[in-house]
């Protein structure tokens, strides 16, 4: 006797479960083997499914990477949203809060750090879009939190903040793969020194 075809609801659940399995497989590969090891063949093998399903559900490995990036961005949003509301009354204080919050969010998201490292050595429309989306996460959070502070006419605090932001992101990346940088061990005591250095560097901002 032939088996009856699965109902639409059962097929939908089966597809959702397979998609989740493939995305989770991609995350494991990315964290364990880094980006060179992530392709349709390794995704299918890790997820225990046919390669055709990676193409059918995601249109290839890029679709899986895009889904992973969306999950990584959600991690960043959760980490940033957990930061207490800003009590800053100067640009210096707000910049300090923002840089510290972003550093903490990055360090708490290994997937984000893997994607950032990937974008440093390879350029593609997908990776460029992921970088833009990550930047938008921080910008949206800062717009929501930023108090109404006057930007001084002298100096260029926006450019200074960009330099410090780049430094913070590099430190988070380095801390995920190396024990230290520039003579500073990236352990608990070292991160405290980094935070202190941010305070010193932000002295260029007006009170």
């Amino acid at each position: 006797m032939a088996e009856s075809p699965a109902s639409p609801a059962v097929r939908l659940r089966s597809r959702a479960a397979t998609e989740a399995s493939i995305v989770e497989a991609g995350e494991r590969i990315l964290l364990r083997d880094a980006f060179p090891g992530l392709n349709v063949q390794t995704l299918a093998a890790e997820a225990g499914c046919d390669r055709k399903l990676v193409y059918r559900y995601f249109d290839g490995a890029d679709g899986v990477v895009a889904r992973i990036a969306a999950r990584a961005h959600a991690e960043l949003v959760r980490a940033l949203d957990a930061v207490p509301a800003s009590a800053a009354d100067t640009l210096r204080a707000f910049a300090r809060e923002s840089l510290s919050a972003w550093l903490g969010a990055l360090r708490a998201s290994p997937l984000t750090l893997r994607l950032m490292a990937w974008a440093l050595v390879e350029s593609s429309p997908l990776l460029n879009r992921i970088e833009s989306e990550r930047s938008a996460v921080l910008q949206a959070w800062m717009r929501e939190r930023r108090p109404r502070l006057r930007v001084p006419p002298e100096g260029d605090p926006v450019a200074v903040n960009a330099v410090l932001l780049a430094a913070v992101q590099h430190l988070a990346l380095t801390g995920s793969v190396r024990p230290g940088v520039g003579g500073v061990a990236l352990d608990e005591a070292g991160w405290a020194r980094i935070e202190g250095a941010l305070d010193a560097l932000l002295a260029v901002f007006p009170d």
Side-chain angles (χ1 to χ4, degrees):
M1 182 177 179
E3 294 184 2
S4 59
S7 69
V10 170
R11 290 197 300 271
L12 185 60
R13 286 198 299 271
S14 177
R15 170 168 180 162
T18 302
E19 286 185 3
S21 177
I22 292 170
V23 173
E24 290 165 3
E27 292 181 354
R28 290 194 299 272
I29 293 168
L30 192 59
L31 293 173
R32 184 186 66 222
D33 305 327
F35 48 89
L38 202 159
N39 53 58
V40 169
Q41 183 172 342
T42 58
L43 282 166
E46 183 80 18
C49 70
D50 194 296
R51 286 182 296 177
K52 293 178 182 178
L53 295 180
V54 180
Y55 289 107
R56 182 182 303 169
Y57 296 158
F58 296 97
D59 198 26
D62 277 3
V64 180
V65 173
R67 188 77 65 87
I68 291 171
R71 288 163 66 116
H73 295 156
E75 288 180 349
L76 293 176
V77 170
R78 286 192 294 271
L80 290 172
D81 284 348
V83 175
S86 175
D89 57 0
T90 66
L91 279 177
R92 180 190 301 179
F94 182 68
R96 178 68 176 82
E97 287 183 3
S98 301
L99 289 167
S100 182
W102 189 236
L103 177 60
L106 292 176
R107 292 183 62 206
S109 179
L111 282 173
T112 294
L113 295 175
R114 287 291 191 180
L115 290 166
M116 289 172 65
W118 191 351
L120 285 175
V121 298
E122 185 176 320
S123 179
S124 72
L126 172 61
L127 292 174
N128 293 340
R129 188 177 81 239
I130 290 171
E131 290 292 298
S132 296
E133 290 169 352
R134 184 186 311 112
S135 178
V137 167
L138 176 60
Q139 291 171 9
W141 180 81
M142 291 182 70
R143 281 195 302 270
E144 180 181 337
R145 299 293 186 101
R146 179 177 175 173
R148 294 185 178 276
L149 300 172
R150 183 182 67 87
V151 177
E154 69 279 0
D156 193 347
V158 174
V160 172
N161 188 67
V163 171
L164 293 176
L165 181 62
V168 160
Q169 293 184 162
H170 178 74
L171 285 165
L173 273 170
T174 301
S176 68
V177 295
R178 292 187 176 86
V181 60
V184 177
L186 294 180
D187 53 15
E188 185 174 348
W191 285 114
R193 292 177 64 187
I194 296 298
E195 295 279 354
L198 283 175
D199 287 330
L201 290 169
L202 284 167
V204 300
F205 278 75
D207 287 323

